[in-house]
Amino acid sequence: MSHNTFGHLFRVTTWGESHGPALGCVVDGCPPGLRFTQDSLQHWMDKRKPGQSRFVTQRREADLVKVLSGVMLEDDGTMVTTGTPVSMLIENTDQRSKDYSDIAKRYRPGHADFTYDVKYGVRDYRGGGRSSARETAARVAAGGLARLVVPGVNVRAALVQIGEHRINRDNWDWSVVDTNPFFAPDPEIVPVWEEYLDGIRKSGSSVGAVIEVVADNVPAGLGAPIYAKLDQDIAANLMSINAVKGVEIGNGFEAARISGEENADEMRIGEDGKPVFLSNNAGGILGGISTGQPVVARFAVKPTSSILNDRRSIDADGNEVDVRTKGRHDPCVGIRAVPIGEAMVACVIADHYLRDRGQTGRLD
Amino acid sequence: MSHNTFGHLFRVTTWGESHGPALGCVVDGCPPGLRFTQDSLQHWMDKRKPGQSRFVTQRREADLVKVLSGVMLEDDGTMVTTGTPVSMLIENTDQRSKDYSDIAKRYRPGHADFTYDVKYGVRDYRGGGRSSARETAARVAAGGLARLVVPGVNVRAALVQIGEHRINRDNWDWSVVDTNPFFAPDPEIVPVWEEYLDGIRKSGSSVGAVIEVVADNVPAGLGAPIYAKLDQDIAANLMSINAVKGVEIGNGFEAARISGEENADEMRIGEDGKPVFLSNNAGGILGGISTGQPVVARFAVKPTSSILNDRRSIDADGNEVDVRTKGRHDPCVGIRAVPIGEAMVACVIADHYLRDRGQTGRLD
Amino acid sequence: MSHNTFGHLFRVTTWGESHGPALGCVVDGCPPGLRFTQDSLQHWMDKRKPGQSRFVTQRREADLVKVLSGVMLEDDGTMVTTGTPVSMLIENTDQRSKDYSDIAKRYRPGHADFTYDVKYGVRDYRGGGRSSARETAARVAAGGLARLVVPGVNVRAALVQIGEHRINRDNWDWSVVDTNPFFAPDPEIVPVWEEYLDGIRKSGSSVGAVIEVVADNVPAGLGAPIYAKLDQDIAANLMSINAVKGVEIGNGFEAARISGEENADEMRIGEDGKPVFLSNNAGGILGGISTGQPVVARFAVKPTSSILNDRRSIDADGNEVDVRTKGRHDPCVGIRAVPIGEAMVACVIADHYLRDRGQTGRLD
Amino acid sequence: MSHNTFGHLFRVTTWGESHGPALGCVVDGCPPGLRFTQDSLQHWMDKRKPGQSRFVTQRREADLVKVLSGVMLEDDGTMVTTGTPVSMLIENTDQRSKDYSDIAKRYRPGHADFTYDVKYGVRDYRGGGRSSARETAARVAAGGLARLVVPGVNVRAALVQIGEHRINRDNWDWSVVDTNPFFAPDPEIVPVWEEYLDGIRKSGSSVGAVIEVVADNVPAGLGAPIYAKLDQDIAANLMSINAVKGVEIGNGFEAARISGEENADEMRIGEDGKPVFLSNNAGGILGGISTGQPVVARFAVKPTSSILNDRRSIDADGNEVDVRTKGRHDPCVGIRAVPIGEAMVACVIADHYLRDRGQTGRLD
């Protein structure tokens, strides 16, 4: 409902700009009794942290999360949620003192500078203000809690396309995702992307990417038939990430191309006597409700708008200008979107789990 | 927030199944003083109405909207909104008395039968229950009101792909969209689709489609930076339509493939002294906020799950069965999704217009 | 959030004016599997129905509820909720054709005529429009469903004060409430009120009242510490009833007068080994959360604003006028507020039961 | 909707316990361009601050608000809202290291200890946890922003009753409210209350109070007819304050006692040609919508539950115990509720102003 909140029973409100003292989030509606440690939370933060390879922005932030409320601290450092709002704060430490006067009035192409000015009449031009990718740190922190809500759920993501280069899905191997700087699930694509992105980086250009999120062990029955479809909320949450321009569930746009016979996921009774699907074109969701199969979503991230080459634009005074972004450069923001996509899907699933439990009383 | 409501200030709640006495919606938050007639509302209903060509379901429904509240009736039949909730009701008239015993327990592949049973433990199996495409009639009625909220806005849609056959965008001509049974904007694709779909229909199969929605004259400044992005709400609203599996804004997934230089929409000052964009890859939205350019979205509809050929499935008792859908057949549900997509985007724009006016006090 | 919706998981949206074709509500979020009959629902409607004694309005309405969606009908007429929205419709049958021209422009003192005109610039002056007491029929219908959500809960109300005459609480007897035209729990007050109200009625005047609502068997643990306090939502729901000007929980304003020692509800272990409270000044709610004791609330209804005697006012054109309400007269609208208050409290409890189950997973 | 958020367009989410490192709030939906200083905000915080007289708790907190986001800082220290969420943080500085083992398991009568344990199964027993009166500091900070939203609005409150001693309304003088430790508007009551409360304090007892809130210059037209009544949201916001047990609008419960003729606020045309009301029994609200008269609300606060005298209770293990609250004692929590009540009403008015502007486009 609000402008900076998402979720209904598991509700996340984020706040903060990249150049204020801090940013953070408040997670409201968290079930009581969830147990976690500072380290377990930091694990997810570190996945998103900038500066981890030459392919992402060189900004240096510790991204240390401070949990300010909503937990009891046990002697061994374990935090236990009490059911009251969990406020988490992340300080901004790498705010280079910098002269922003050159961009305070210039509208960077592909950025929200122009639309902010039209809408609000005032704009925090320092580091992108509220639109800074730093805002997503708060989402990852919230996702760290969301992962604890549904027993057994495992939400993972991987990069499946950078520019024109896609992975070979036959090579998919989750175990390699965290061993390369791209979160690539295909070891053979890694050297290809390295060479390709080095070229992009050196030319001062940028390129887009596609990320695939897979949630395993999602209980069947989450979601609702009409305006609380599980896929609808996943689409909304992924589209809310900066620079995302498209979202697919299951086979997505491919479904438009094939026949009803090809698209239908047939069912049989498995050896354990339980229903099994023979394929997963639906991406684990039928009629807006989870089937128990893996929930699969993909999203497209546009190329970083900040590039080192001149683009034509205007300024707030109506002058025609050329704009080029100086400073630290991020040739493919899509890479760091991987842990963010995971977090956003984890939050949707946690929220729907609580909503389903509320309406139906089912306990999975 | 709720399960059957969307929108925040312009709020639409729909209700009803295809085999109850009626279905409908309540539009809450409508500004006072909007003027319309029964005919102007019915115009949109008729676009979605079934049975208008051999390529869509042969169910016959008048889809006559009754406005039950929220308006004052003037002598010439004009209705004027009063600011109180507008309740609209559409009777179900073509409910063939039919024996549903064969599908009451069988899970039709691609349908929500299995997931409903898991979630609710009870299911209205008559005609798809709440998941019937008839529910979308209520959305179109709501969209008819939404179109009145923002002065000058024009929301149109067209079919751009059926199965493997895409339109040639160079032929795009809005004036032909309503003159062919496919809402095709390319006159040359019409005979191709006719022949193709006749083949699909005769074989008892089905096929998917892609629809493009374009909203002209959307004021700049609608939306918000983070979790109320205009594109996010468009994605959510389109993904809430039955059978939709993917959503794109602007150039969408194509953005992942190209460079930052290619993707950036450059700006100049136009001859009228106002800002102009030199391209519209962004689909009229930057940082979640409208730019004043046309808002462009596309969505993919999967092939109709009800097909006349056997598919393997199971039933509620755990038996393996073959399922085939008898009766009236709809070879491409994507066709009738065109007016529905328009309605859903119109509702998002109306809602964001009111939200923006609330927060910023700007009057466009 | 919205203007015509209340509740969060058990959500009720009402619509309609007294002089349109119908009014009604949509209940969204209802758990699946609730069982009821037309008669059981009608029972509550009949309690609120006008024209049942000389002390309430003589308007004649059958107030027959039609359930249009969200249920499966069993052979014996039992309706079973499916978890989809339940739409209920009540036709307006007693709309006397009447000349409203005298009140179309005059602002009746105590009514919302003036404020509607200021706010909306257009007003449905027929029978009070949206502010008609008829709107509360939809609340009672929704309350009929709400009563089914929490096993064992019993929500009852009684009139405890009319004008200057209060009941003697020592005489409280629930069994007499439905046997007198005032919903009085004290048989001795009945003849007093009869004589008093006859005088009020004959003089064309009106008088206010106080209603007490008591909910038994509310499970401990419903509500939340801060902005979802059970008492807060009860206060909001009761204050949303037409003409209500005050709400109390437990001993209410009396709590301001007494000492901490007197006010505290002490606890002991009961003979069954369970906690017992030795008093119930708190009205069954501590820190916003139910204690398991009866939930007790009271609300004050102002005297009917429509009286047969002249009052000074103005009209929409800025003229000073005298206004007197002709026609059917209701000397104490507070009487018919009794079943409405019950319904509103029942809805709050149902909503909080689902919200608590969602967050905590407790099954009571 | 959520458990720790209130408001719809002007949305306030609070978080924090009294014994964590800090507490605070996020104000979302704030219009852009509001201007304030740290000092102007601190002014309201200081009114609520503990330790300012012997009649309130001796806890010492600076209650310094830090604004972490959502503003641009001008050279002179003025903060200008940007339309993004304003996060405000208040550190807890006076957390005496203390042994809580005696109350960790004992249920203090009148407190939420018992209900928290039932609901959540885990409880932050240090200093009342989330139910601490310290949470209200965040409300006052939010109220400081809310006061800036509607031009000209002035929200003030005063204490009108402590225990059995009420003010003489004929003596009402706003100018004395901030000159005595009780926020009393009647100078003659001050010595009476001093002597009375000294007695209460020395006996280790406590007593309740009634606060009256008056909002001047509220534009006519705010609110809505049914479930977004201005009075309803005021009632909810006031009832959400700790220890509040009753709320009245205008003449409140008195309305139940008098006749329709006495209660109606008659209207005339004033000398300036504008409508005037001849009385204000309605408390500035008709049919849920503001009339332009002062908005008047009252709320009752129960006596402080923490008293120095033994009360009977039980503990978490089912033992019968006696409970007495040691330490700093607050004989009448109602006193410090005065600025809190102001803040909560200011927030409601700001929210409804934005909501009205959104729906109707009126600019006041």
Side-chain angles (χ1 to χ4, degrees):
Chain A
M1 162 177 37
S2 158
H3 300 311
N4 292 280
T5 297
F6 64 92
H8 298 293
L9 291 195
F10 187 88
R11 287 177 70 73
V12 179
T13 300
T14 75
W15 55 268
E17 285 81 27
S18 67
H19 282 64
L23 54 83
C25 66
V26 181
V27 180
D28 193 9
C30 209
L34 303 182
R35 305 171 69 83
F36 63 101
T37 63
Q38 179 73 35
D39 283 353
S40 66
L41 205 57
Q42 202 61 39
H43 169 76
W44 305 111
M45 302 303 293
D46 290 349
K47 264 190 92 165
R48 195 210 69 97
K49 210 168 59 173
Q52 305 197 94
S53 81
R54 68 182 184 275
F55 304 111
V56 297
T57 180
Q58 294 306 301
R59 182 167 174 145
R60 293 274 164 194
E61 292 282 1
D63 278 358
L64 207 69
V65 189
K66 293 184 188 171
V67 178
L68 299 178
S69 67
V71 297
M72 288 293 276
L73 196 64
E74 300 195 340
D75 290 343
D76 65 355
T78 301
M79 292 185 250
V80 184
T81 59
T82 61
T84 62
V86 180
S87 175
M88 298 190 279
L89 182 143
I90 301 144
E91 290 180 359
N92 291 320
T93 54
D94 184 13
Q95 311 162 50
R96 301 204 178 164
S97 64
K98 174 174 164 185
D99 181 4
Y100 285 100
S101 55
D102 59 331
I103 64 160
K105 293 204 149 187
R106 292 174 174 223
Y107 298 143
R108 294 167 298 161
H111 281 278
D113 303 343
F114 170 69
T115 52
Y116 270 49
D117 260 8
V118 170
K119 184 180 186 77
Y120 299 117
V122 55
R123 174 166 59 94
D124 189 345
Y125 44 80
R126 301 165 304 167
R130 183 69 177 140
S131 287
S132 165
R134 268 195 74 59
E135 184 271 341
T136 59
R139 304 176 187 224
V140 173
L145 285 185
R147 288 169 186 274
L148 307 172
V149 172
V150 190
V153 160
N154 187 18
V155 185
R156 297 180 289 187
L159 207 63
V160 297
Q161 179 184 341
I162 295 184
E164 294 176 345
H165 301 278
R166 301 180 187 212
I167 63 158
N168 177 348
R169 299 186 74 89
D170 292 338
N171 294 339
W172 194 294
D173 178 358
W174 281 112
S175 73
V176 305
V177 167
D178 287 333
T179 66
N180 66 76
F182 307 109
F183 302 111
D186 168 9
E188 293 180 9
I189 199 78
V190 174
V192 179
W193 284 353
E194 281 183 334
E195 184 180 346
Y196 176 63
L197 262 194
D198 272 333
I200 297 282
R201 184 167 57 84
K202 285 168 187 164
S203 69
S205 183
S206 65
V207 74
V210 176
I211 293 96
E212 181 164 323
V213 188
V214 180
D216 289 307
N217 301 326
V218 176
L222 306 193
I226 305 291
Y227 307 120
K229 288 179 194 282
L230 188 62
D231 32 359
Q232 169 186 6
D233 284 354
I234 288 173
N237 264 26
L238 293 177
M239 196 66 95
S240 79
I241 300 172
N242 294 349
V244 173
K245 300 303 286 183
V247 179
E248 294 183 316
I249 304 295
N251 61 354
F253 277 85
E254 171 71 2
R257 204 185 55 76
I258 60 178
S259 72
E261 285 80 0
E262 294 168 294
N263 193 61
D265 298 316
E266 296 182 294
M267 299 184 79
R268 295 279 89 175
I269 298 296
E271 293 187 0
D272 60 355
K274 293 183 180 166
V276 288
F277 288 88
L278 307 184
S279 56
N280 190 15
N281 289 321
I285 302 172
L286 281 173
I289 301 172
S290 60
T291 63
Q293 285 193 288
V295 170
V296 180
R298 265 179 309 284
F299 60 102
V301 178
K302 71 178 184 183
T304 319
S305 296
S306 297
I307 49 182
L308 303 184
N309 306 312
D310 277 349
R311 292 283 94 187
R312 289 175 290 174
S313 189
I314 63 171
D315 68 16
D317 299 326
N319 303 306
E320 298 192 334
V321 296
D322 281 356
V323 175
R324 181 197 333 197
T325 308
K326 301 167 196 159
R328 295 170 295 196
H329 178 57
D330 201 344
C332 179
V333 285
I335 298 171
R336 290 176 61 218
V338 170
I340 304 164
E342 289 180 356
M344 294 308 280
V345 171
C347 287
V348 174
I349 292 169
D351 187 40
H352 274 279
Y353 179 78
L354 301 182
R355 290 161 79 177
D356 176 63
R357 188 162 74 180
Q359 186 182 15
T360 70
R362 296 188 310 127
L363 289 184
D364 298 297
Chain B
M1 163 175 39
S2 157
H3 299 310
N4 292 281
T5 298
F6 64 91
H8 298 293
L9 291 195
F10 187 89
R11 287 176 69 73
V12 179
T13 300
T14 75
W15 55 269
E17 285 81 26
S18 67
H19 283 64
L23 53 83
C25 66
V26 181
V27 180
D28 193 10
C30 208
L34 303 182
R35 306 171 68 81
F36 63 101
T37 63
Q38 179 73 36
D39 283 354
S40 67
L41 205 58
Q42 202 61 39
H43 169 76
W44 306 112
M45 302 303 293
D46 290 348
K47 264 190 94 167
R48 196 211 68 98
K49 210 168 59 175
Q52 305 196 91
S53 81
R54 69 182 182 276
F55 305 111
V56 296
T57 179
Q58 295 306 302
R59 183 168 173 145
R60 294 272 164 196
E61 292 282 2
D63 277 359
L64 205 70
V65 188
K66 293 184 188 172
V67 178
L68 298 179
S69 68
V71 297
M72 287 293 276
L73 195 66
E74 299 194 341
D75 290 343
D76 66 354
T78 302
M79 292 185 252
V80 184
T81 58
T82 60
T84 62
V86 180
S87 176
M88 297 190 278
L89 182 142
I90 300 144
E91 290 180 358
N92 291 321
T93 54
D94 185 13
Q95 310 162 52
R96 300 205 179 163
S97 64
K98 176 174 163 184
D99 182 3
Y100 285 101
S101 56
D102 59 331
I103 64 160
K105 293 203 149 187
R106 291 175 173 223
Y107 299 142
R108 294 167 298 161
H111 281 278
D113 303 342
F114 171 69
T115 52
Y116 270 49
D117 259 9
V118 169
K119 183 179 187 78
Y120 298 115
V122 54
R123 173 166 58 94
D124 188 345
Y125 45 79
R126 300 165 304 168
R130 183 70 177 140
S131 286
S132 165
R134 270 197 72 60
E135 185 271 341
T136 60
R139 305 177 185 222
V140 172
L145 285 185
R147 289 170 185 274
L148 307 172
V149 172
V150 190
V153 159
N154 187 18
V155 185
R156 295 180 289 188
L159 206 62
V160 298
Q161 179 184 342
I162 296 184
E164 295 178 343
H165 301 278
R166 299 180 189 214
I167 63 158
N168 177 348
R169 299 186 74 88
D170 293 337
N171 296 340
W172 194 293
D173 179 357
W174 281 112
S175 73
V176 305
V177 167
D178 287 333
T179 66
N180 66 75
F182 306 110
F183 302 110
D186 169 9
E188 292 179 11
I189 199 79
V190 174
V192 178
W193 284 352
E194 281 182 333
E195 184 180 346
Y196 176 62
L197 262 194
D198 271 333
I200 297 284
R201 185 169 56 86
K202 284 169 188 163
S203 70
S205 183
S206 65
V207 73
V210 176
I211 293 97
E212 181 163 323
V213 189
V214 180
D216 289 308
N217 301 325
V218 176
L222 307 193
I226 305 290
Y227 306 120
K229 289 180 193 280
L230 189 61
D231 32 359
Q232 169 186 6
D233 284 352
I234 288 173
N237 265 25
L238 293 177
M239 196 65 96
S240 79
I241 301 172
N242 294 348
V244 173
K245 299 303 286 183
V247 179
E248 296 183 315
I249 305 295
N251 60 356
F253 277 85
E254 172 71 3
R257 203 185 55 78
I258 60 178
S259 73
E261 286 80 359
E262 295 167 295
N263 192 62
D265 299 314
E266 296 182 294
M267 299 183 78
R268 294 281 87 174
I269 298 296
E271 294 187 0
D272 59 357
K274 294 184 178 164
V276 289
F277 288 89
L278 307 184
S279 55
N280 190 16
N281 289 321
I285 302 172
L286 281 173
I289 301 172
S290 60
T291 63
Q293 286 193 289
V295 170
V296 180
R298 264 180 310 285
F299 60 102
V301 178
K302 71 178 184 183
T304 319
S305 297
S306 297
I307 48 180
L308 303 185
N309 306 311
D310 276 348
R311 291 284 93 187
R312 288 175 292 174
S313 188
I314 62 170
D315 67 18
D317 298 326
N319 303 306
E320 300 192 332
V321 295
D322 281 356
V323 175
R324 180 198 332 196
T325 308
K326 300 167 196 158
R328 295 171 293 195
H329 178 57
D330 201 345
C332 179
V333 285
I335 298 171
R336 291 176 57 216
V338 170
I340 303 165
E342 289 180 356
M344 295 308 281
V345 171
C347 287
V348 174
I349 292 169
D351 187 39
H352 273 280
Y353 179 79
L354 302 182
R355 291 160 80 177
D356 176 64
R357 187 162 75 180
Q359 186 182 12
T360 71
R362 295 189 310 128
L363 288 185
D364 298 294
Chain C
M1 163 176 39
S2 158
H3 299 312
N4 292 281
T5 298
F6 63 92
H8 298 294
L9 291 195
F10 187 89
R11 287 177 70 73
V12 179
T13 301
T14 75
W15 56 270
E17 286 81 27
S18 68
H19 282 65
L23 53 83
C25 65
V26 181
V27 179
D28 193 10
C30 208
L34 302 182
R35 305 171 69 82
F36 64 100
T37 63
Q38 179 73 35
D39 282 354
S40 67
L41 206 58
Q42 202 60 40
H43 169 76
W44 306 111
M45 301 304 293
D46 290 348
K47 265 189 93 166
R48 195 210 69 98
K49 211 168 58 175
Q52 306 196 90
S53 82
R54 68 183 184 273
F55 304 110
V56 296
T57 179
Q58 295 307 300
R59 181 167 176 145
R60 293 275 165 194
E61 292 281 2
D63 278 359
L64 205 70
V65 189
K66 292 184 189 172
V67 178
L68 298 179
S69 67
V71 297
M72 288 292 278
L73 196 65
E74 300 193 341
D75 290 342
D76 65 354
T78 302
M79 291 186 252
V80 184
T81 58
T82 60
T84 62
V86 180
S87 175
M88 297 190 278
L89 182 143
I90 301 145
E91 291 180 359
N92 291 320
T93 55
D94 185 14
Q95 310 163 51
R96 300 205 179 164
S97 64
K98 175 175 163 183
D99 181 5
Y100 284 101
S101 57
D102 59 332
I103 65 160
K105 292 203 149 188
R106 291 174 174 224
Y107 298 141
R108 294 166 299 161
H111 281 278
D113 303 343
F114 171 69
T115 52
Y116 270 49
D117 260 9
V118 169
K119 183 179 188 78
Y120 298 115
V122 55
R123 174 166 58 93
D124 188 345
Y125 44 79
R126 300 164 304 167
R130 184 68 179 142
S131 287
S132 165
R134 269 196 74 59
E135 184 271 340
T136 59
R139 305 176 186 225
V140 172
L145 285 186
R147 289 169 185 274
L148 307 173
V149 172
V150 191
V153 159
N154 187 18
V155 185
R156 296 180 288 188
L159 207 63
V160 298
Q161 179 185 340
I162 294 183
E164 295 177 344
H165 300 278
R166 300 181 189 214
I167 62 158
N168 178 347
R169 299 186 72 89
D170 293 337
N171 295 339
W172 194 293
D173 178 358
W174 281 111
S175 73
V176 305
V177 167
D178 288 332
T179 65
N180 67 75
F182 306 109
F183 302 109
D186 168 9
E188 292 179 11
I189 199 79
V190 174
V192 178
W193 283 353
E194 280 183 333
E195 184 179 346
Y196 176 62
L197 262 194
D198 272 333
I200 298 283
R201 185 169 56 86
K202 285 169 186 161
S203 69
S205 184
S206 65
V207 75
V210 177
I211 293 94
E212 181 163 322
V213 188
V214 180
D216 290 307
N217 301 326
V218 176
L222 307 192
I226 305 290
Y227 307 120
K229 287 180 193 281
L230 188 62
D231 32 359
Q232 169 186 4
D233 284 352
I234 288 173
N237 264 25
L238 293 177
M239 196 65 96
S240 79
I241 300 172
N242 294 348
V244 172
K245 300 302 287 183
V247 179
E248 296 182 315
I249 304 295
N251 60 355
F253 277 85
E254 172 70 3
R257 203 185 54 77
I258 61 179
S259 73
E261 285 80 358
E262 293 167 296
N263 193 61
D265 299 314
E266 296 182 294
M267 298 183 79
R268 294 280 91 173
I269 299 294
E271 293 188 358
D272 58 356
K274 293 184 178 164
V276 288
F277 288 89
L278 307 184
S279 54
N280 190 13
N281 289 322
I285 302 172
L286 281 174
I289 300 171
S290 60
T291 62
Q293 286 193 288
V295 170
V296 181
R298 265 178 311 284
F299 60 102
V301 178
K302 71 179 184 182
T304 319
S305 296
S306 297
I307 49 181
L308 303 184
N309 306 312
D310 278 348
R311 292 283 93 189
R312 289 175 291 173
S313 188
I314 62 171
D315 67 17
D317 298 326
N319 303 306
E320 298 191 334
V321 295
D322 282 356
V323 175
R324 178 199 333 196
T325 307
K326 300 168 199 160
R328 295 170 292 195
H329 178 57
D330 200 344
C332 179
V333 285
I335 298 171
R336 290 178 57 217
V338 170
I340 304 165
E342 290 179 356
M344 294 308 280
V345 171
C347 287
V348 174
I349 293 169
D351 187 39
H352 274 280
Y353 179 78
L354 301 183
R355 290 161 80 176
D356 176 64
R357 188 162 74 179
Q359 187 182 13
T360 70
R362 295 189 310 128
L363 288 186
D364 297 295
Chain D
M1 165 178 35
S2 159
H3 299 312
N4 291 281
T5 297
F6 64 92
H8 298 294
L9 292 194
F10 187 89
R11 285 176 71 72
V12 179
T13 301
T14 76
W15 55 269
E17 285 81 26
S18 67
H19 282 64
L23 52 84
C25 65
V26 181
V27 179
D28 193 10
C30 209
L34 302 182
R35 305 171 69 83
F36 63 100
T37 63
Q38 178 74 36
D39 282 354
S40 67
L41 205 58
Q42 202 61 40
H43 168 76
W44 305 112
M45 302 303 294
D46 289 349
K47 266 190 92 164
R48 195 211 68 97
K49 210 168 58 174
Q52 305 197 92
S53 81
R54 68 182 182 277
F55 305 111
V56 296
T57 179
Q58 294 307 300
R59 183 171 173 142
R60 293 274 165 195
E61 292 282 2
D63 278 358
L64 206 71
V65 189
K66 293 184 188 172
V67 178
L68 298 179
S69 67
V71 297
M72 287 293 276
L73 196 65
E74 300 194 340
D75 289 343
D76 66 354
T78 302
M79 291 186 253
V80 184
T81 59
T82 60
T84 61
V86 180
S87 176
M88 296 191 280
L89 182 142
I90 300 144
E91 290 180 359
N92 291 320
T93 55
D94 185 13
Q95 311 162 51
R96 301 205 178 161
S97 65
K98 176 174 162 185
D99 182 4
Y100 284 101
S101 56
D102 59 331
I103 64 160
K105 293 204 149 187
R106 290 173 176 227
Y107 298 143
R108 295 166 299 161
H111 282 278
D113 303 343
F114 171 69
T115 52
Y116 270 48
D117 261 8
V118 169
K119 184 180 186 77
Y120 299 116
V122 54
R123 173 165 59 94
D124 188 345
Y125 44 80
R126 300 164 305 167
R130 183 68 178 142
S131 287
S132 166
R134 268 195 74 60
E135 184 271 340
T136 60
R139 304 177 185 224
V140 173
L145 285 186
R147 289 169 184 274
L148 307 172
V149 172
V150 191
V153 159
N154 188 16
V155 184
R156 296 181 288 189
L159 207 62
V160 298
Q161 179 184 341
I162 295 184
E164 294 176 344
H165 301 278
R166 301 182 187 213
I167 64 159
N168 178 348
R169 300 187 71 89
D170 293 337
N171 294 340
W172 194 293
D173 179 358
W174 281 112
S175 73
V176 305
V177 167
D178 287 332
T179 66
N180 66 75
F182 306 109
F183 304 111
D186 169 9
E188 292 180 10
I189 199 78
V190 174
V192 179
W193 284 352
E194 281 183 332
E195 184 179 347
Y196 176 63
L197 262 195
D198 272 333
I200 297 283
R201 184 167 59 86
K202 285 168 188 162
S203 70
S205 183
S206 65
V207 74
V210 176
I211 293 96
E212 181 164 322
V213 188
V214 181
D216 289 308
N217 302 325
V218 176
L222 307 192
I226 305 290
Y227 307 120
K229 288 179 193 282
L230 188 61
D231 32 359
Q232 169 187 6
D233 283 353
I234 289 173
N237 264 25
L238 293 177
M239 195 66 95
S240 78
I241 301 172
N242 295 349
V244 173
K245 301 302 286 182
V247 179
E248 294 183 317
I249 304 295
N251 60 354
F253 277 85
E254 172 70 3
R257 203 185 55 76
I258 62 179
S259 73
E261 286 81 359
E262 294 167 295
N263 193 62
D265 298 315
E266 296 182 295
M267 300 183 77
R268 295 280 89 174
I269 299 295
E271 294 187 358
D272 59 357
K274 292 183 180 166
V276 288
F277 288 89
L278 307 183
S279 56
N280 190 15
N281 289 322
I285 302 172
L286 280 174
I289 301 172
S290 61
T291 63
Q293 286 193 288
V295 170
V296 181
R298 264 179 311 284
F299 61 102
V301 178
K302 71 178 183 182
T304 318
S305 296
S306 296
I307 49 181
L308 304 184
N309 306 312
D310 278 348
R311 292 282 95 188
R312 290 175 290 174
S313 188
I314 63 172
D315 67 17
D317 299 325
N319 302 306
E320 299 192 333
V321 296
D322 281 356
V323 176
R324 181 200 330 200
T325 308
K326 300 169 196 158
R328 295 170 295 198
H329 178 57
D330 201 343
C332 180
V333 285
I335 298 172
R336 290 176 59 216
V338 170
I340 303 165
E342 289 179 356
M344 294 308 280
V345 171
C347 287
V348 174
I349 292 169
D351 187 39
H352 273 281
Y353 179 78
L354 301 182
R355 290 160 79 177
D356 177 64
R357 187 161 74 179
Q359 187 183 13
T360 70
R362 297 188 310 128
L363 288 185
D364 297 294

